[in-house]
C-alpha cells in the first residue's frame, strides 16, 4: 500500500521536455486565478462558446467540437461506445494504440488488430487489405496519429482516404500527442472522430479532452441503442446547441486557461505552428543521428516527440537524473520495460522552439560526455 507523501510547496521548477505535460505560458497559468462563477451562468456560456468556436477556427474544421473535463482517454471509451456495435479494427504499433484495442475489448467489442512491430508505421494499403480480406463488416477503424511510445507518426490522412471508401465504417483517430503541433486536415480526409488532450501540443494545463465529430458519426450514434453517457455525441453536441454549455460541471479554471492559450494559437496560426514544430523535429532528428540513432521507421518520425535509440549504451536513467539536477530540465526515458533503457524521448511540442530544444541537447551532451 502506498504511503502518504506530503506535498510541501518546496520544489524546484523544471523545464519540461517530456511527451506531455509541457511548458505553459505564464499568462495562461494566471488566467486560471479568477473568481469562481456558476457553470450555468451567461458568463459560462460566453466562455464555453468561445473556446469551442475558436477551436473549430484553429483546426479549420466544419465538424462539431466537444471539449470536456477529462483526459483524452475519455474518447477512447466514448467513441467505441458511440460508434461500435460489435466489430472494430485497431491498428497497433506501440503502447497507446495497443491500449486503444484493450479499451475496446474491455467494453465487450470484437477487436481485430492490424499489428506492427514497435517502431514501424501503419500502412494505408495494409488497412485496405485488412478490410477487404475480413469476413466482418467493421463499424470502426481506429488508428493513433502520433504513437508517443515509439515516436512514430502514422499517415492518418492516407488511411482516412482508404476508410472513406467504405461508407459504413467510421474512422477514429487518437491525436492526443500531436494535435496543435502537427497539422492535419480533418475534413478533407474523412476523419469522423479525432481527439486530443489539452496538456500536450496545445500547451495548456491538463484536464480537458478535445474531440471533433463528423455529421456521419453523430448520425451513427443516433441509430444505436446505447452510447456513452458522459461523452455521448448526441448528449454533448445537442446540449451545446441548446445551451452553449457542457452537460456536466466543467473545470472552469482550466477552460479559462484554454481560452487564453487558444487566442495565442490563433494569433500564431495553425500552419505557422505546424512549421515551428517541424523545425524542432528536424533539428532533434539531426542531433540524434549525429550522436545516437532514431528508433522510428525512417520517413514516419513524429513531429512532436522524438524517440531516440540509445546506440551508445548511455545510462538513460542516470542521464535524465543528472540533467534534471544540474540543468533543471526534464526529458523522458523509453516507454515501459520494453524500451526503458533502449531509447529515450524528447518532447518538442507546445511553446518550445529550436533554441530551447538546443539548450536541452547541449545539456545531454555535457552530462553524457558526447
Amino acid at each position: 500500500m502506498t504511503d502518504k507523501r506530503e506535498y510541501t510547496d518546496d520544489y524546484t521548477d523544471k523545464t519540461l521536455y517530456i511527451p506531455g505535460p509541457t511548458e505553459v505560458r505564464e499568462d495562461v497559468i494566471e488566467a486560471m486565478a479568477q473568481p469562481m462563477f456558476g457553470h450555468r451562468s451567461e458568463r459560462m456560456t460566453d466562455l464555453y462558446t468561445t473556446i469551442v468556436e475558436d477551436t473549430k477556427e484553429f483546426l479549420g474544421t466544419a465538424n462539431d467540437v466537444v471539449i470536456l473535463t477529462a483526459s483524452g482517454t475519455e474518447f477512447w471509451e466514448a467513441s467505441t461506445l458511440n460508434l461500435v456495435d460489435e466489430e472494430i479494427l485497431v491498428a497497433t504499433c506501440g503502447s497507446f494504440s495497443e491500449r486503444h484495442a484493450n479499451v475496446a475489448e474491455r467494453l465487450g467489442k470484437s477487436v481485430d488488430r492490424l499489428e506492427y512491430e514497435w517502431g514501424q508505421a501503419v500502412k494505408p494499403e495494409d488497412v485496405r487489405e485488412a478490410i477487404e480480406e475480413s469476413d466482418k463488416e467493421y463499424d470502426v477503424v481506429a488508428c493513433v496519429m502520433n504513437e508517443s511510445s515509439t515516436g512514430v507518426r502514422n499517415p492518418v490522412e492516407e488511411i482516412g482516404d482508404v476508410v472513406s471508401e467504405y461508407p459504413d465504417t467510421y474512422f477514429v483517430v487518437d491525436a492526443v500527442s500531436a494535435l496543435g503541433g502537427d497539422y492535419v486536415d480533418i475534413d478533407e480526409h474523412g476523419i469522423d472522430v479525432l481527439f486530443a488532450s489539452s496538456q500536450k501540443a496545445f500547451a495548456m494545463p491538463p484536464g480537458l479532452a478535445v474531440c471533433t465529430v463528423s455529421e456521419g458519426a453523430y448520425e451513427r450514434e443516433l441509430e444505436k441503442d446505447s452510447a456513452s453517457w458522459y461523452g455521448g455525441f448526441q448528449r454533448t453536441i445537442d446540449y451545446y446547441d441548446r445551451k452553449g454549455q457542457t452537460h456536466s460541471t466543467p473545470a472552469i479554471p482550466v477552460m479559462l486557461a484554454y481560452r487564453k492559450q487558444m487566442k495565442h494559437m490563433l494569433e500564431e496560426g495553425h500552419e505557422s505552428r505546424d512549421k515551428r514544430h517541424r523545425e524542432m523535429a528536424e533539428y532533434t532528428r539531426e542531433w540524434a543521428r549525429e550522436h545516437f540513432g532514431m528508433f522510428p521507421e525512417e520517413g514516419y518520425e513524429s513531429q512532436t516527440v522524438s524517440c531516440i535509440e540509445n546506440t551508445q549504451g548511455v545510462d538513460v536513467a542516470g542521464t535524465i537524473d543528472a540533467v534534471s539536477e544540474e540543468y533543471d530540465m526534464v526529458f523522458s526515458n523509453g516507454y515501459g520495460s520494453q524500451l526503458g533503457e533502449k531509447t529515450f524521448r524528447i518532447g518538442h511540442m507546445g511553446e518550445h522552439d529550436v533554441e530551447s530544444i538546443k539548450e536541452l541537447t547541449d545539456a545531454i551532451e555535457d552530462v553524457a560526455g558526447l
Side-chain angles (χ1 to χ4, degrees):
M1 185 173 180
T2 301
D3 294 329
K4 178 184 178 182
R5 293 175 53 171
E6 192 70 26
Y7 191 88
T8 65
D9 289 322
D10 184 23
Y11 303 95
T12 302
D13 290 335
K14 308 282 186 178
T15 303
L16 300 178
Y17 298 89
I18 56 179
T22 187
E23 291 294 294
V24 180
R25 292 171 182 258
E26 192 63 35
D27 64 342
V28 174
I29 294 173
E30 290 172 354
M32 294 189 288
Q34 297 186 29
M36 193 49 55
F37 52 88
H39 67 287
R40 294 292 175 243
S41 65
E42 289 187 10
R43 184 174 176 180
M44 186 65 223
T45 304
D46 291 347
L47 173 60
Y48 192 63
T49 57
T50 295
I51 64 174
V52 167
E53 299 305 322
D54 280 356
T55 302
K56 288 182 185 179
E57 180 182 348
F58 176 79
L59 296 177
T61 182
N63 290 348
D64 287 299
V65 166
V66 177
I67 303 173
L68 292 179
T69 301
S71 69
T73 302
E74 162 62 24
F75 288 108
W76 276 343
E77 290 192 332
S79 62
T80 303
L81 290 170
N82 296 346
L83 299 179
V84 181
D85 277 336
E86 185 65 26
E87 307 293 345
I88 179 173
L89 175 66
V90 183
T92 61
C93 59
S95 180
F96 293 99
S97 48
E98 177 60 34
R99 200 176 298 179
H100 196 156
N102 290 340
V103 166
E105 287 175 331
R106 288 180 65 86
L107 293 172
K109 308 304 179 182
S110 174
V111 180
D112 284 349
R113 288 171 171 79
L114 178 58
E115 295 181 286
Y116 293 83
E117 290 185 15
W118 283 32
Q120 297 297 301
V122 180
K123 309 302 189 299
E125 59 270 22
D126 294 343
V127 174
R128 177 182 280 107
E129 182 177 345
I131 295 173
E132 289 288 343
E133 293 190 354
S134 176
D135 57 0
K136 302 174 181 178
E137 294 186 4
Y138 293 114
D139 299 310
V140 161
V141 170
C143 183
V144 64
M145 178 175 170
N146 194 73
E147 180 54 79
S148 58
S149 66
T150 62
V152 166
R153 201 288 198 181
N154 286 314
V156 294
E157 295 89 348
E158 290 88 345
I159 296 167
D161 293 342
V162 169
V163 178
S164 294
E165 298 173 16
Y166 305 88
D168 294 328
T169 301
Y170 296 85
F171 188 37
V172 173
V173 173
D174 169 354
V176 165
S177 58
L179 196 65
D182 186 344
Y183 179 84
V184 56
D185 193 326
I186 299 166
D187 301 12
E188 177 67 21
H189 297 286
I191 300 174
D192 292 290
V193 174
L194 178 139
F195 55 88
S197 295
S198 58
Q199 78 277 12
K200 303 282 189 174
F202 277 35
M204 302 175 190
L208 298 178
V210 182
C211 184
T212 68
V213 182
S214 72
E215 183 179 356
Y218 174 87
E219 294 294 335
R220 165 64 176 162
E221 185 196 301
L222 297 185
E223 298 170 359
K224 290 181 85 277
D225 294 330
S226 63
S228 170
W229 192 92
Y230 187 70
F233 299 149
Q234 180 184 14
R235 183 171 176 78
T236 54
I237 293 168
D238 286 5
Y239 201 93
Y240 178 74
D241 287 343
R242 293 196 314 271
K243 302 280 190 177
Q245 298 175 351
T246 58
H247 61 69
S248 298
T249 307
I252 295 173
V254 187
M255 288 190 174
L256 287 165
Y258 188 111
R259 170 190 166 274
K260 188 71 172 179
Q261 174 63 0
M262 185 51 67
K263 295 297 186 185
H264 287 305
M265 291 169 68
L266 284 169
E267 183 177 0
E268 182 177 18
H270 202 166
E271 291 185 1
S272 295
R273 197 171 178 86
D274 174 84
K275 180 176 182 289
R276 178 166 55 80
H277 281 75
R278 186 165 59 254
E279 290 169 350
M280 288 191 287
E282 289 170 351
Y283 166 78
T284 308
R285 290 174 206 148
E286 183 178 344
W287 175 85
R289 289 177 177 128
E290 178 183 352
H291 297 288
F292 299 96
M294 290 296 293
F295 183 74
E297 179 180 356
E298 188 173 356
Y300 296 94
E301 299 91 347
S302 165
Q303 191 160 291
T304 57
V305 181
S306 285
C307 185
I308 299 167
E309 190 170 7
N310 182 16
T311 56
Q312 298 212 37
V314 302
D315 178 356
V316 170
T319 302
I320 289 170
D321 288 345
V323 169
S324 175
E325 182 67 25
E326 296 177 27
Y327 290 93
D328 293 330
M329 300 175 182
V330 183
F331 66 106
S332 181
N333 60 352
Y335 195 86
S337 58
Q338 185 170 337
L339 298 178
E341 282 286 322
K342 296 178 181 177
T343 64
F344 61 92
R345 295 174 297 158
I346 294 175
H348 33 77
M349 62 172 68
E351 296 309 303
H352 282 298
D353 56 24
V354 171
E355 288 305 311
S356 67
I357 300 301
K358 190 176 187 300
E359 290 175 4
L360 173 67
T361 56
D362 285 349
I364 295 172
E365 288 180 29
D366 181 49
V367 167
L370 301 177

